[in-house]
Amino acid sequence: MSDHLYQLVGDRKGIELALDDYIDAIEAGEMDESALWDTLDGIDGAIEDKADSIVQVIRNKQTLASAIDEEIKRLQARKKSVDKATDRIAAYLEEQLAVLGIDKLETVHARISFRSSEKCVISDPAVAVGWALANGRADLLTIPEPTPSTSAIKAALKSGEKIPGAVIIKNRNLQIK
């Protein structure tokens, strides 16, 4: 018998295709009918065994995939926790350096400094979208769902345009290199 399912299926199909020849051989007394049925039963049993083994492999792979999904979720939660802790510690460092008025600090392990940055904050997106649409400023919106484009609105605000619901806020961002 064959070792692979596709070979067993080929053997079974071969017997089915030659069934008329086997029936003729049985009727002519050249072949025992029980031999044909035993062969078919053997192939069918082997096919069932192979199919069952393949199902077990599939179930094992599905179990492994589920375990991997769970591990991904666990690691994502852990990463989120570590990220929050990192943000808290960085905020603490920033706060303490600000109390001392230190803008630059070089240590053995790091160079710490602050850089200025600007961030456009949209306090009322609906108002900003309405204004952009009413004033022909679709370039300030992202499509398909109209939402304010903070970078485009920031540029417009910097050029002196007044946009309701939008202001530029100056931040100090901690840098560790």
Side-chain angles (χ1 to χ4, degrees), residues 1 5 7-13 15-16 36-52:
M1 290 257 175
L5 181 60
Q7 291 171 326
L8 292 169
V9 169
D11 292 347
R12 180 71 160 87
K13 286 308 254 179
I15 291 173
E16 287 177 10
L36 173 63
W37 294 115
D38 289 345
T39 301
L40 285 173
D41 286 344
I43 291 173
D44 289 347
I47 288 172
E48 287 176 13
D49 290 345
K50 283 290 180 187
D52 192 49

Side-chain angles (χ1 to χ4, degrees), residues 118-149:
E118 297 175 335
K119 178 180 175 182
C120 179
V121 177
I122 309 297
S123 60
D124 192 343
V127 171
V129 168
W131 180 90
L133 292 172
N135 290 285
R137 293 298 311 268
D139 62 308
L140 301 179
L141 305 174
T142 55
I143 306 298
E145 195 173 304
T147 57
S149 168

Side-chain angles (χ1 to χ4, degrees), residues 90-169:
Y92 169 74
L93 175 62
E94 182 178 353
E95 178 184 302
Q96 297 308 308
L97 292 178
V99 166
L100 295 174
I102 297 174
D103 285 333
K104 290 182 181 181
L105 181 65
E106 192 160 330
T107 71
V108 174
H109 299 289
R111 207 174 22 230
I112 303 166
S113 63
F114 292 91
R115 66 172 170 82
S116 294
S117 68
E118 297 175 335
K119 178 180 175 182
C120 179
V121 177
I122 309 297
S123 60
D124 192 343
V127 171
V129 168
W131 180 90
L133 292 172
N135 290 285
R137 293 298 311 268
D139 62 308
L140 301 179
L141 305 174
T142 55
I143 306 298
E145 195 173 304
T147 57
S149 168
T150 54
S151 58
I153 291 175
K154 178 182 169 187
L157 289 171
K158 287 190 95 162
S159 71
E161 220 171 321
K162 303 287 183 208
I163 301 174
V167 294
I168 293 178
I169 296 175

